[in-house]
Amino acid sequence: MSGRRSGSGVSSISDDQITHLVSKLQQLIPELCARRSHKASASKVLQETCDYIRNLHKEVEDLSDRLSQLLASIDTDNDQAAIVRSLLM
Amino acid sequence: MASLITNPVTNTNSDRSKRKKKKNSMVKQNLQRSQKEDHARWKSEAQQQIYSSKLIQALSQVSLGTPSPSAPRGGRAVRKAADRVLAVAAKGRTRWSRAILTSRLKLKFRKQKRSQRGSVAAVAAATRTSRSKKPRVSVLKLKAKSVPTVQRKVKVLGRLVPGCRKQPLPVILEEATDYIAALEMQVRAMSALADLLSGSGAASSSSATPPEWPMPPTSQ
């Protein structure tokens, strides 16, 4: 994306750091929270993370479609629309 | 629900002082501590209200701009506005937020000079100097994770999170944790907003009085 290069790279990442980050990620994902006790392997956590982010993206898209429809319908409405419009602007 | 709309100003004022205090403490303390605060930040009610009020302002510009939108009914424009406001709410501390903001600028000002990008980069540098440059380390150098499965999945994850396509593994994991918390807040705020709007829409067809809005009687 950007054409920047920096001299200080990341030399070597310890496995502990990776495990720590993965466990933190695991805590965030609701599916893996239900059956914790460190059963989830790193690959499973990453897979669930990807699925969860895709789900969230889809939810945001659905919500934005719904919002756009609501906004369009409100624009053509009556005095309730005037109230909502005064709140929106 | 009405508190989302009626109390944005007071909450931004009180939260601004809270945010200043948080900024000072974050500089002094550990990185882990700051990450915990960031996660709590995305879950706080104040942050959601800030986001909702900013989103409403952005959406009012979107809907007024195109009174008769095209076939997808401007859903994509709403999504882009929501993502942009989310990135602004992140205050440029994370890579994905900076990537969202700069990608829009790149598309907009492609033909114009690069001074805009320079200003955004300067802003990003001011907030997080150590991370403003994106280090280009190939994943092959990190021999600790020689398991191809993990590498593959991390690459997929890096494609999902904006701005993390070529980042090393720990960066991607870190950005992903913050991105997930931010997305959850975005979903909460947008669904609350949609409920509010649909509630008002449903009431308009049935009765004249709104459900329970603590609104002062204004001239309509």
Side-chain angles (χ1 to χ4, degrees):
Chain A
M1 278 164 58
S2 72
R4 287 197 193 142
R5 236 173 251 262
S6 113
S8 69
V10 188
S11 53
S12 66
I13 313 299
S14 61
D15 276 338
D16 289 344
Q17 196 177 356
I18 296 175
T19 321
H20 171 68
L21 285 172
V22 166
S23 67
K24 252 185 16 183
L25 205 50
Q26 181 177 356
Q27 290 171 22
L28 281 186
I29 303 182
E31 294 215 351
L32 297 175
C33 245
R35 25 195 169 127
R36 275 189 61 194
S37 75
H38 307 284
K39 266 174 79 171
S41 67
S43 71
K44 181 151 173 65
V45 170
L46 290 173
Q47 181 65 45
E48 293 293 328
T49 307
C50 294
D51 294 339
Y52 190 50
I53 290 185
R54 283 198 202 103
N55 278 340
L56 287 175
H57 277 167
K58 181 143 195 332
E59 274 196 52
V60 169
E61 285 200 29
D62 293 343
L63 278 173
S64 59
D65 282 338
R66 192 172 148 206
L67 273 179
S68 67
Q69 285 178 11
L70 284 171
L71 285 175
S73 71
I74 274 181
D75 277 341
T76 61
D77 243 352
N78 43 13
D79 50 352
Q80 282 289 329
I83 297 177
V84 180
R85 241 178 281 152
S86 66
L87 286 177
L88 284 181
M89 298 169 225
Chain B
M1 291 293 174
S3 65
L4 271 177
I5 308 284
T6 53
N7 301 335
V9 179
T10 54
N11 273 332
T12 49
N13 281 339
S14 65
D15 195 69
R16 211 168 280 157
S17 56
K18 242 196 290 178
R19 269 187 275 156
K20 275 190 191 156
K21 287 186 199 156
K22 267 190 188 171
K23 226 182 200 173
N24 288 336
S25 66
M26 259 191 268
V27 165
K28 290 174 193 167
Q29 287 173 7
N30 227 351
L31 183 62
Q32 292 182 352
R33 195 74 175 267
S34 75
Q35 279 177 353
K36 260 188 224 165
E37 287 186 4
D38 279 343
H39 288 316
R41 196 164 61 96
W42 287 119
K43 292 207 164 124
S44 70
E45 185 67 29
Q47 178 69 273
Q48 188 169 333
Q49 291 187 359
I50 293 172
Y51 177 75
S52 303
S53 56
K54 284 190 179 163
L55 179 64
I56 287 171
Q57 286 173 14
L59 284 181
S60 65
Q61 292 173 2
V62 167
S63 68
L64 288 183
T66 57
S68 55
S70 53
R73 308 207 63 161
R76 193 153 295 175
V78 172
R79 167 106 200 262
K80 287 204 166 130
D83 284 343
R84 192 180 61 232
V85 177
L86 190 68
V88 166
K91 294 200 286 284
R93 275 203 210 104
T94 49
R95 235 176 225 103
W96 59 264
S97 59
R98 293 196 291 269
I100 290 181
L101 293 174
T102 53
S103 73
R104 304 210 184 289
L105 283 179
K106 275 183 199 170
L107 288 176
K108 263 186 169 180
F109 300 113
R110 223 178 184 179
K111 299 169 190 169
Q112 296 183 12
K113 46 190 184 247
R114 313 259 171 132
S115 60
Q116 295 284 345
R117 237 177 32 193
S119 66
V120 171
V123 167
T127 52
R128 196 87 175 257
T129 51
S130 61
R131 291 259 180 117
S132 60
K133 294 190 184 172
K134 302 182 183 182
R136 276 226 197 145
V137 177
S138 68
V139 189
L140 293 174
K141 270 192 197 171
L142 307 171
K143 293 198 179 158
K145 309 143 308 313
S146 50
V147 183
T149 319
V150 172
Q151 268 187 15
R152 216 173 39 228
K153 299 218 188 290
V154 166
K155 279 213 156 157
V156 171
L157 189 58
R159 281 204 299 269
L160 280 176
V161 180
C164 292
R165 281 193 191 209
K166 293 183 184 171
Q167 304 295 329
L169 186 135
V171 171
I172 293 182
L173 292 183
E174 205 179 303
E175 292 284 320
T177 52
D178 191 67
Y179 189 54
I180 287 179
L183 278 181
E184 285 174 351
M185 188 211 73
Q186 184 179 25
V187 165
R188 280 199 303 270
M190 286 175 74
S191 55
L193 186 58
D195 285 343
L196 177 67
L197 285 180
S198 66
S200 80
S204 72
S205 53
S206 53
S207 63
T209 55
E212 359 66 48
W213 276 358
M215 272 190 57
T218 55
S219 62
Q220 299 174 9

